[in-house]
Amino acid sequence: MLTAVGAAVIAAVASLVGVTLGALLEPWKLNAARRAKLRQDRADRCAGFIEAAVRARQHNIDLNVIHRRREIGELPEEDDERTAGYEDSYYVARAQMRSFFGLLVMSGPDELVEQARVVRQRDFELHVVRLEVDDGGGFDRMNLPPVVRKAAGAVDRAIEEFALVARKHTA
């Protein structure tokens, strides 16, 4: 009988200690879960922003190639449907960049927001020069005009720098 009572007392004390520790640790567990969710949301936003920026860059390059081919008469003027498709795709990617940028502004940190702002600026600079043609009026599919190549490189570097900052704030 004493053994049964002793075992019951030990079980009750252990249960009480377990419940007390669980209650004390619950806020820490909830806080850790909240921080993990915030990091995951930030990582998803950064990934979406990078994907949209890369698509926007590619559509600007495609628009440049089409424009240069049209300038030398390699493409008929009636091929406007393809150009319109690339332009629409560019503006969709640009709108996605704006959406993700807004979400990043809302959630921070400021260093990440500033780097995203740089990516958007570099994308705009590429968009401004997307209709530049080759020197001498020729068409070289393998090489972009120097001003376009420089702007595209700046976009690439800005995306890489954004990704480095994003990794720091999402790991």
Side-chain angles (χ1 to χ4, degrees), residues 36-52 96 99-101 103-104 107 112 162 166 169-170:
K37 173 89 170 91
L38 179 67
R39 276 192 313 273
Q40 183 60 48
D41 288 347
R42 187 178 292 146
D44 292 342
R45 291 170 181 170
C46 289
F49 183 80
I50 289 169
E51 290 171 1
Q96 289 173 338
S99 295
F100 284 117
F101 179 74
L103 292 171
L104 289 170
S107 65
L112 192 60
F162 174 81
H169 291 289
T170 59

Side-chain angles (χ1 to χ4, degrees), residues 46-66:
C46 289
F49 183 80
I50 289 169
E51 290 171 1
V54 168
R55 278 195 317 275
R57 177 202 178 280
Q58 186 57 47
H59 293 309
N60 273 322
I61 298 299
D62 292 338
L63 286 167
N64 177 263
V65 170
I66 287 174

Side-chain angles (χ1 to χ4, degrees), residues 78-91:
E78 297 82 38
D79 196 21
D80 288 337
E81 184 176 318
R82 197 161 105 184
T83 302
Y86 283 132
E87 286 176 349
D88 290 346
S89 296
Y90 169 75
Y91 287 113

Side-chain angles (χ1 to χ4, degrees), residues 18-165:
V19 168
T20 303
L21 279 176
L24 291 175
L25 294 177
E26 191 63 28
W28 284 328
K29 288 182 354 187
L30 289 174
N31 194 21
R34 184 186 62 76
R35 284 192 316 265
K37 173 89 170 91
L38 179 67
R39 276 192 313 273
Q40 183 60 48
D41 288 347
R42 187 178 292 146
D44 292 342
R45 291 170 181 170
C46 289
F49 183 80
I50 289 169
E51 290 171 1
V54 168
R55 278 195 317 275
R57 177 202 178 280
Q58 186 57 47
H59 293 309
N60 273 322
I61 298 299
D62 292 338
L63 286 167
N64 177 263
V65 170
I66 287 174
H67 177 74
R68 289 184 299 138
R69 288 179 68 192
R70 186 170 289 137
E71 286 293 310
I72 64 166
E74 192 174 305
L75 281 179
E77 290 292 328
E78 297 82 38
D79 196 21
D80 288 337
E81 184 176 318
R82 197 161 105 184
T83 302
Y86 283 132
E87 286 176 349
D88 290 346
S89 296
Y90 169 75
Y91 287 113
V92 166
R94 183 84 176 159
Q96 289 173 338
M97 282 175 62
R98 258 193 316 276
S99 295
F100 284 117
F101 179 74
L103 292 171
L104 289 170
V105 168
M106 185 176 73
S107 65
D110 291 340
E111 181 184 15
L112 192 60
V113 171
E114 281 307 311
Q115 196 57 50
R117 188 172 282 122
V118 170
V119 171
R120 292 184 68 214
Q121 179 61 36
R122 297 300 176 264
D123 172 68
F124 180 73
E125 290 167 2
L126 175 59
H127 186 68
V128 167
V129 298
R130 75 188 184 285
L131 299 181
E132 291 293 322
V133 295
D134 295 305
D135 294 335
F139 174 71
D140 182 4
R141 177 181 288 279
M142 300 306 293
N143 295 309
L144 294 170
V147 68
V148 176
R149 184 176 42 239
K150 181 179 176 186
V155 171
D156 289 339
R157 282 188 301 284
I159 290 171
E160 289 171 14
E161 290 169 9
F162 174 81
L164 290 173
V165 172

